[in-house]
Amino acid sequence: MSSLLAAVFLIGGVTFMLIAAIGLLRLPDLYTRMHAITKAGTLGIGLVLIGVAISFADLSVSTRAAAAILFVLLTAPVSAHMIGRAGYLGGIPLWEGTMFDHWNGRFEELDRNLDATEANARERTRSSDEAPTEPA
Amino acid sequence: MPSIDGPLLWAVYITLALTSLSIGAALVRVVRGPSLADRIIALDLVAYLAMGFLGTYAVLVDQEMYVDAVLVLALLAFLGTVAVARYIERIRSGEGIVEP
C-alpha cells in the first residue's frame, strides 16, 4: 500500500518536472520560462522527495527529504527573483504579447532611483566614517 | 539488483527515464538560449532534475546516502544561481569589467 502511494507521488512529481522542461523549451521569453521552471520544478521536486520519504519509511531519510523540500521552497523564489531582476535591468526584451510592464519607458527613472539610493548609502557611510575625524 | 518490485519499480523506471528526457530538453535550452540568463535558468532546472534523479535512484538501489547528495545539490544550485545573477547585474553597471 505504501509502495503504491510512493509510486503515485513519484509519477506525479516527474510529470511536473516534464511539464517544466517542456515549458522551458516552448515558452517565448525569459520571464515566462522562469515562471515555468520555478513553479513546476519546485512542486516536482517536492512530490518526488515525498515519494522517496514514503518508500524508505525511515525517520532519518524523511527528515533529510523534508529539509531538502524546505530548502528548495525557500530558495527557488529568491533565485528566480534575482535572475529576473538582473535580466530586466539588463534589458532582455519581453514577449510581444505581454500585457503589463509597469516599468515600461521609465528605465531612466529606475536607473536614477537606484543610483540615488547607492549614492545616498555611500554618502551616509562616508559621513559616518569622516565624522569622528573632523575637528570640533 | 533493485530491492523493490511491483508498481514502485515501474514508477522508479518511468521517473528515471522521464527525468533523463527532461535533462536533455533543458540542455537544448542551454545551447540555444539567446541570453545568459536563459542559460542560467536552464541550468537551474537541470540541477532540480538531477535532485529528482538522485532521490529516485536512492529508492532504486536502497542507499540512503543519495538523499544527502540531494541536499548538497540544492545548496550548490542556489549559490550558483545567486552568484551569476549578481554577476549579470555587475556586467550591466560596468563593475564586472576588470581593468588590467
Side-chain angles (χ1 to χ4, degrees):
Chain A
M1 185 58 214
S2 77
S3 79
L4 201 63
L5 196 62
V8 169
F9 272 108
L10 285 180
I11 294 293
V14 83
T15 309
F16 275 106
M17 288 183 184
L18 194 65
I19 292 172
I22 294 171
L24 185 72
L25 273 186
R26 299 279 302 158
L27 286 173
D29 69 351
L30 169 70
Y31 311 100
T32 47
R33 280 177 211 141
M34 209 169 57
H35 129 91
I37 75 148
T38 48
K39 275 187 218 144
T42 311
L43 195 51
I45 281 290
L47 288 181
V48 165
L49 286 180
I50 288 174
V52 171
I54 290 175
S55 89
F56 271 103
D58 180 28
L59 184 61
S60 75
V61 175
S62 305
T63 312
R64 276 175 277 173
I69 294 172
L70 201 65
F71 189 78
V72 170
L73 284 182
L74 281 177
T75 57
V78 176
S79 61
H81 175 90
M82 290 194 73
I83 283 284
R85 184 168 175 272
Y88 192 90
L89 292 180
I92 293 176
L94 276 73
W95 179 44
E96 64 267 19
T98 306
M99 301 286 286
F100 296 105
D101 181 9
H102 290 295
W103 282 109
N104 189 21
R106 292 190 289 164
F107 240 63
E108 301 305 314
E109 190 184 329
L110 181 62
D111 262 359
R112 214 169 31 242
N113 280 344
L114 282 180
D115 289 348
T117 317
E118 282 172 14
N120 279 343
R122 222 172 290 133
E123 192 62 36
R124 222 175 294 128
T125 52
R126 190 181 301 135
S127 59
S128 67
D129 282 347
E130 286 174 1
T133 63
E134 268 179 47
Chain B
M1 199 58 205
S3 61
I4 50 178
D5 56 354
L8 183 57
L9 183 61
W10 282 105
V12 164
Y13 281 151
I14 292 171
T15 305
L16 291 178
L18 290 183
T19 314
S20 311
L21 199 69
S22 305
I23 289 179
L27 288 179
V28 169
R29 177 53 73 189
V30 173
V31 174
R32 271 176 41 189
S35 69
L36 182 58
D38 281 301
R39 297 193 167 94
I40 296 308
I41 62 166
L43 285 175
D44 214 19
L45 183 63
V46 170
Y48 288 147
L49 292 170
M51 285 167 63
F53 192 95
L54 277 176
T56 318
Y57 192 71
V59 175
L60 182 66
V61 298
D62 199 19
Q63 291 278 324
E64 291 179 12
M65 60 181 180
Y66 289 105
V67 183
D68 300 335
V70 169
L71 263 175
V72 175
L73 202 53
L75 187 66
L76 284 180
F78 173 64
L79 286 181
T81 308
V82 168
V84 176
R86 302 283 302 174
Y87 174 66
I88 294 174
E89 285 197 24
R90 280 182 180 222
I91 289 178
R92 169 185 154 270
S93 61
E95 288 174 47
I97 301 158
V98 180
E99 298 291 339

